[in-house]
Amino acid sequence: MTTVTREYRLDRHDEELRTRQMLEQEWLLTNGLGGYASGTVCGALTRRYHGLLIAAYPSPMGRIVMLNRLTEAIRFPDGSMVRFGGDQKESGLEFHGMEYLTGFRLEDGLPVWRYKVNGTVIEKQLVMVHRQNTVHLIYRLLSGEKMVRLKLQPYLQFRPHDASVDVASDDPYMFTAVQNRYQIASGANSPQLRLVINGGRGNFTLEEKHNTDIFYDVESARGYDSLGTLWTAGYFAVDLGIGQDAALTASTETWETIAALSPAAALEMERERRRLLLAAADPRARQGLPAELVLATDQFIITPAGRHKDSVRAHAMGDEVCTVIAGYHWFTDWGRDTMISLEGLTLATGRHTEAGWILRTFAHYVKNGLIPNLFPEGQNEGLYHTADASLWFFHALSRYLEYTNDRATLNMIMPQMREIIDRHLSGTSFGIGVDSSDGLLKQGAEGYQLTWMDAKVGDWVVTPRRGKAVELNALWYNALRLMQQWTEQLGDERYSRQLGTFADQSYRSFNQRFWYADGGYLYDIVDGELGDDNACRPNQLFAISLPFPVLERDRWPQVLETVRQRLLTPVGLRTLAPGHPDYKTTYHGDLRARDAAYHQGTVWPWLIGTFIDSWMKLYPDQVGAARSFLDGLVQQMNQQCIGSISEIFDAEHPYNPRGCIAQAWSVAEMLRCWLKTAQ
């Protein structure tokens, strides 16, 4: 199988643009545990989350920044030296060697840098070992001088990855060395960073220092503390011969684990793992752009570090614990995002076994008819404040069964699916329950954000949407019809008929109550705190796009056309139509300003999935037009996080990417829709 390559082209003529590219474009590499490495193309730190090793630890630690960055230098045989790396300061950029970076690319999703200095060409490649907190930085001398000497100086600041950059440790760093093995800790109970150099003749020089007042400009723009300090114990030096490799390994694993796999072997095994991922995927997704998306989906599927009870339970059943990171850098695993992403992440990619693990893992967590909204960083217990995640669970299960026909899993989790239905009918937490007078699902509790439009700042719930939300009732109707079908297949005809009766009532009431005749589209909320809400939002499309659409068919064209004209952009759907008093054109500023815009116009790319599903139902012969709705997202794969798709975009041109640099449901829905529109 050929290598899947994405070249990122740096501007060769405009120095200012080139510098901005290297500072603004980011890369991401993950380890299957929730840990990751990420940074800017040039290596300067602009976010608190940037680092070469962010290790995933069991609770209560969570993810910890262990190695922030390196400065690098090349010494030539004539004694001259060229430096690479540095930092931003408030006064400006103090960085060396940008002019020597001639290329950046992803090879099978792995980042590769190419430097050319005075005719000598060196490449650097980064690889993380799957399900280990280990990163290898591998250097290769391709041409030019027969031998050069590398100087590699690691800088670090041990802290939780979401902690402020100005946090200071109570304990000093402790550096120890035994032969060529080096170890750094901070306090008796802190995690330990282990470093080792591999390759040509190498040594370490002790040269402790602090690098202060490093300016993290993205943190500053987001309203957070933005000045931090890094510490270094000294630097490694290693000879690099032409055609040879040298590598720096950083890890929190035991020395025995580190020694079990050389950097070269780790690279080859990781590339083989990725080739196998492509081989298992839909045949139409094994080359080109969809192959890149398959590799991008792998970043989000993890075995969560430290959920010991989950592991024991799963292993007893012959399963593995598997879940989905909603987005990098700061999200953990979210129930809603997992269920929406499941088809694109696991089913379109041929990872059916992992899809089953995910569904059975979440079934275990059903409580009062709800699945968890999220698992907070460094915790084992989920939070349940969501009204839609449990309903998306039905959709995810139906897609899984469509691909696998795994009736054993359906039988196994049917009690939990029935509990969800019954608790919604009788009423459950957060005011979630069916109004018996009309069969519609209502939700709402003071101080909680329960739908996917879930921004909250302090006590302010930006879009509470308390009442009967349009997408919740579309999902509820879909869940009833799916459950009616499954119970009939399993021989429970009485319960199946009851569900059919509830679904019929829901269908009638929905079409009576949600149609906004003056606008020719659907209310976003009925029976809300302020009555019926006629804000034009994308949520109405789920009444068409789901397998069992609750909206009468003759109203589909008008709704879809309204959404196309008012909400569709090149990168997804706006969350609110322009002209509404709450509409915001951009997502920027501090947390309060950003959350005020989060669902008030801001574009979400994952919503393109429901638009294309609706389009294909109405216009099945216009597949080419459906594919064209993805064109803007194709271009975005070279923006913000190279090779992935961001969480959100501004509501107006130029639709700047915002939020998480790589989002599970953005990538999943892009891949799913690409395959759906393949001709």
Side-chain angles (χ1 to χ4, degrees), residues 55 147 164 178 198 214 458 604 635 649 669:
M147 181 78 71
S164 173
V178 177
N198 291 276
I214 296 169
W604 290 72
Q635 302 304 316
F649 296 86
E669 286 295 270

Side-chain angles (χ1 to χ4, degrees), residues 153-156 171-175 184-185 204-211 229-235:
Q153 188 153 15
Y155 283 84
L156 52 90
D171 298 295
Y173 291 105
M174 298 178 291
F175 178 84
I184 300 171
F204 184 85
T205 299
L206 198 62
E207 188 181 81
E208 181 186 14
K209 65 179 179 179
H210 290 82
N211 197 348
T229 297
L230 300 181
W231 176 86
T232 181
Y235 62 88

Side-chain angles (χ1 to χ4, degrees), residues 77-150:
D78 64 2
S80 63
M81 182 175 288
V82 174
R83 295 174 59 200
F84 300 86
D87 301 294
Q88 291 190 88
K89 305 285 186 172
E90 284 190 291
S91 58
L93 190 62
E94 296 182 4
F95 206 90
H96 304 276
M98 278 190 176
E99 66 272 26
Y100 301 115
L101 179 60
T102 61
F104 176 86
R105 67 184 185 274
L106 300 179
E107 282 189 359
D108 291 334
L110 302 175
V112 183
W113 292 258
R114 175 171 285 210
Y115 302 91
K116 187 174 183 180
V117 186
N118 303 328
T120 295
V121 178
I122 294 177
E123 283 194 345
K124 174 177 69 176
Q125 184 157 29
L126 208 69
V127 61
M128 299 191 86
V129 182
H130 192 58
R131 295 193 183 178
Q132 281 189 33
N133 290 313
T134 299
V135 65
H136 300 289
L137 294 99
I138 303 172
Y139 297 82
R140 182 172 297 119
L141 179 60
L142 298 180
S143 62
E145 297 286 354
K146 292 183 178 179
M147 181 78 71
V148 297
R149 192 156 178 83
L150 287 179

